[in-house]
Amino acid sequence: MRPPVFLCVLLCLCAAPGPVAGADRSCSDLRQFYTGKGFTLVEVPQTEISGEHLRMCPQGPTCCTSTMEENLGGLSARETEGLIREAGRSLQSAFNALHRSFDTYFTELHGRSERSLPEALSPLGALYSQNTRLYGDLYTDLRQYYRGSALNLDETLSEFWSRLLERTFKISAPTEVNLSEDYLECVAKQQETLRPFGDVPRDMKAKLIRAFVTARSFVQGLIVSGEVVRKVSQVHLSPECMKALMKLVYCPHCHGIASVKPCSNYCSNVMKGCLANQADLDPEWQNIIDTMIQVASSFSTEPSLDVVLSSIPARIYEAVHFLQENMDTFTAKVYQTCGTPGEPGTGSPKLHEQRKKSGSLTASEYKPSPTAGLRLEMQVSDLSSKLREMRQYWTQLPVALCSKLAAGGAGQDKCWNGITKARYLPEVMGDGLANQINNPEVELDITKPDMTIRQQIMQLKIMSNRLKNALEGNDVDFQDASDDISGSGSGMCVGGLCPRNRPGLYAYSPDNNRVRGTATSQTRICGLLLLLPLTILLLQR
């Protein structure tokens, strides 16, 4: 009888409840890791415990309590947010460096042009020496416009030529003739019809406006792009993303396989889900980068940026010289329109000082130095190449983050797949919110995009529109750009002014059948609920 009794006892022992498998496994490694992350060891188990309490990690023998799971889940989100901000700061620094580089180049070009005024205009004699402030004001206005001042560049340049015409006419008149302010104003009004400076004002205006509009829009594009990166990089991750990150990063620690790295495709799905809204920036991001590259390339298109700025003094000299050469003809036409100033019989004004042809350069003879042209070429090349490197930032961000977290190519059969140490089988999702509808790792409502990111997408659209207009020499402010983007028939614009935040532009249409089905079901339920009270009343009768 002994063998049967022994077998019965053995079977009873096997059937009786006992400790969980692996319960004797030490949690010393996790305890050390946990304190290393800044947490205390209060209620941290010495050996593995049953894992039915786990909500983020797979249930099973574990060294993590519910509190530890929550703490590590929050930590995984904060650390990932830190990595996103770090990557964003790096990109911001790149934009700042591009801005400093171009701004330094442009302001030096502007400064050299202004410093060359005395040499170029001193042959004009009193027309230069008595009007240095007028020329200086022109450069000040151009500088302020480039810095973002709300100047109308067309009006500013027209005003400059009008004032220069008044001064030239006044200095050229005989000393005994008194020219009133009203008379000089009449003279200035002849600028458009009589064209006393020849074709220079019109030609110079077109080139200066194009040069300064593109330069200003370019630096604003760099600033706006950097600001978009800063704001988007500070967007907090969702609770659903926090759970997915915990499962990806720290659940292996809870299950005693801390050395096993996540599978790369598994990591990709988590990051694509967590950064789905950020990836929706990609189309407009690539658009603004491409447009800025176009603008940068336009700087070297003839007439190049350095030629336009450097030739300002020579063009002014050319214009004044043209007027001096044709002063008698111009004066006669002014007399016909504005009347003859002074006493009868004074005759036409003669030049106050002897006219003489100067050996100064005219614009047609002006040639920039080879060094200046080479520096501009290098500037454009550097700007373009660095901008191209930023082009796919938002779609490459998940890849960059996973390169720090996931296993390499050789370890895809023995990596953490979210459940155990094995290959990850689900397919990798596409980029953007709409492509996450079937993401197995992160639960997302694709009908509720992040509004902060949608606003930044709109800012990119507005800035891209402004840059494209700048390429045509048109200065479009931000409000005008947003009007263009809004489209016709939106019903959101009143009196030509459109609000910055347009909910209709941000919301996703419920294209998938699941969303349509839900909406239809809700409509049917509401209809039934409305009929219920009527039915009860009829039954009571």
Side-chain angles (χ1 to χ4, degrees):
M1 293 293 293
R2 282 188 179 180
V5 171
F6 174 75
L7 287 172
C8 288
V9 172
L10 186 62
L11 287 170
C12 289
L13 288 172
C14 292
V20 180
D24 293 329
R25 187 182 297 173
S26 171
C27 293
S28 58
D29 287 345
L30 180 62
R31 288 167 64 87
Q32 185 177 353
F33 167 79
Y34 194 65
T35 55
K37 291 292 182 180
F39 301 109
T40 63
L41 288 175
V42 178
E43 297 183 0
V44 177
Q46 296 284 349
T47 57
E48 280 187 340
I49 57 175
S50 173
E52 289 85 355
H53 57 280
L54 296 175
R55 294 293 176 266
M56 303 182 206
C57 298
Q59 294 186 347
T62 182
C63 285
C64 289
T65 63
S66 295
T67 301
M68 293 171 67
E69 190 181 35
E70 283 185 24
N71 289 341
L72 290 173
L75 178 64
S76 66
R78 290 193 300 275
E79 287 179 339
T80 304
E81 287 174 344
L83 291 173
I84 293 169
R85 285 194 296 272
E86 182 184 342
R89 282 192 292 270
S90 177
L91 187 57
Q92 280 180 265
S93 296
F95 275 115
N96 291 338
L98 288 179
H99 178 252
R100 281 194 305 273
S101 175
F102 179 77
D103 185 63
T104 299
Y105 170 77
F106 189 84
T107 51
E108 285 180 359
L109 201 62
H110 184 277
R112 280 200 304 272
S113 177
E114 186 173 12
R115 288 191 296 273
S116 69
L117 275 170
E119 182 182 353
L121 301 185
S122 57
L124 297 176
L127 275 174
Y128 173 68
S129 61
Q130 295 180 22
N131 295 299
T132 53
R133 184 171 179 178
L134 175 63
Y135 303 118
D137 286 347
L138 172 63
Y139 276 89
T140 299
D141 288 341
L142 291 174
R143 186 183 298 107
Q144 288 178 346
Y145 175 83
Y146 167 71
R147 294 293 182 203
S149 175
L151 285 171
N152 184 309
L153 206 50
D154 188 288
E155 291 178 3
T156 298
L157 291 168
S158 294
E159 178 66 17
F160 166 76
W161 290 110
S162 295
R163 289 169 64 194
L164 184 58
L165 180 58
E166 289 180 19
R167 304 290 179 86
T168 307
F169 191 85
K170 188 174 183 179
I171 289 175
S172 300
T175 54
E176 66 271 14
V177 175
N178 183 30
L179 299 175
S180 67
E181 291 297 323
D182 290 342
Y183 191 87
L184 289 173
E185 186 176 343
C186 180
V187 172
K189 288 179 180 178
Q190 309 314 307
Q191 181 183 325
E192 286 299 320
T193 54
L194 300 182
R195 296 170 66 183
F197 294 113
D199 292 329
V200 172
R202 189 175 300 177
D203 181 62
M204 182 176 161
K205 180 189 289 186
K207 290 173 180 175
L208 273 179
I209 287 176
R210 181 177 174 273
F212 275 83
V213 167
T214 51
R216 180 165 95 156
S217 298
F218 184 73
V219 295
Q220 287 177 343
L222 294 174
I223 292 169
V224 166
S225 299
E227 273 297 290
V228 167
V229 173
R230 183 183 68 81
K231 290 178 181 177
V232 172
S233 298
Q234 291 177 346
V235 171
H236 291 294
L237 300 174
S238 66
E240 292 75 21
C241 176
M242 185 193 80
K243 293 176 184 177
L245 287 169
M246 170 61 193
K247 189 177 174 185
L248 175 78
V249 180
Y250 289 130
C251 285
H253 291 267
C254 289
H255 288 288
I257 50 173
S259 60
V260 180
K261 286 194 170 186
C263 303
S264 60
N265 286 353
Y266 171 38
C267 182
S268 291
N269 275 343
V270 171
M271 292 304 177
K272 282 175 182 282
C274 287
L275 299 172
N277 282 284
Q278 287 85 337
D280 280 342
L281 283 158
D282 183 64
E284 282 306 322
W285 182 260
Q286 292 201 31
N287 186 27
I288 195 171
I289 294 295
D290 289 344
T291 309
M292 281 196 287
I293 291 171
Q294 281 183 277
V295 173
S297 298
S298 75
F299 295 147
S300 56
T301 303
E302 293 298 331
S304 61
L305 191 64
D306 58 335
V307 169
V308 173
L309 265 70
S310 301
S311 64
I312 292 173
R315 298 308 307 271
I316 293 172
Y317 172 82
E318 181 184 353
V320 175
H321 191 70
F322 179 88
L323 175 58
Q324 287 179 327
E325 290 293 309
N326 298 278
M327 182 62 81
D328 291 341
T329 304
F330 174 69
T331 300
K333 291 180 179 179
V334 167
Y335 284 179
Q336 291 176 9
T337 306
C338 303
T340 305
E343 297 296 327
T346 54
S348 300
K350 300 297 179 182
L351 290 182
H352 185 57
E353 50 184 281
Q354 181 67 31
R355 292 185 205 156
K356 55 183 178 180
K357 290 188 177 181
S358 169
S360 295
L361 293 172
T362 62
S364 59
E365 296 168 343
Y366 174 80
K367 297 290 182 184
S369 69
T371 307
L374 181 60
R375 187 178 176 192
L376 176 60
E377 185 180 333
M378 291 174 63
Q379 184 76 25
V380 170
S381 176
D382 185 57
L383 289 170
S384 301
S385 63
K386 285 188 168 64
L387 284 168
R388 285 191 188 94
E389 292 172 5
M390 305 171 179
R391 196 171 180 273
Q392 295 182 313
Y393 174 79
W394 297 108
T395 54
Q396 290 299 311
L397 186 56
V399 178
L401 295 176
C402 284
S403 67
K404 299 180 179 181
L405 298 173
Q412 296 309 302
D413 287 325
K414 297 179 180 179
C415 50
W416 171 250
N417 64 6
I419 300 172
T420 186
K421 181 181 176 181
R423 176 175 285 274
Y424 182 75
L425 298 178
E427 65 175 335
V428 177
M429 299 293 102
D431 297 309
L433 191 59
N435 286 318
Q436 307 310 309
I437 189 169
N438 295 316
N439 193 317
E441 308 306 335
V442 186
E443 293 182 13
L444 288 170
D445 184 349
I446 67 167
T447 66
K448 293 181 180 178
D450 184 277
M451 297 307 291
T452 299
I453 293 176
R454 298 295 136 176
Q455 289 167 359
Q456 297 312 304
I457 291 173
M458 181 56 64
Q459 288 301 312
L460 292 175
K461 285 183 178 180
I462 292 169
M463 194 65 238
S464 294
N465 186 70
R466 180 169 190 153
L467 287 161
K468 287 171 184 175
N469 276 279
L471 285 168
E472 304 298 323
N474 301 321
D475 189 15
V476 180
D477 64 25
F478 281 89
Q479 191 63 58
D480 291 338
S482 63
D483 291 348
D484 294 339
I485 292 163
S486 66
S488 59
S490 66
M492 298 296 292
C493 302
V494 181
L497 298 176
C498 297
R500 286 288 176 88
N501 300 333
R502 305 185 179 88
L505 291 173
Y506 303 140
Y508 273 75
S509 58
D511 293 330
N512 59 77
N513 292 329
R514 186 172 69 180
V515 176
R516 286 196 184 117
T518 304
T520 307
S521 300
Q522 287 175 345
T523 306
R524 288 173 181 169
I525 291 168
C526 289
L528 290 171
L529 289 173
L530 288 170
L531 289 170
L532 186 60
L534 181 61
T535 307
I536 292 170
L537 286 172
L538 290 171
L539 288 172
Q540 285 176 342
R541 290 184 180 183

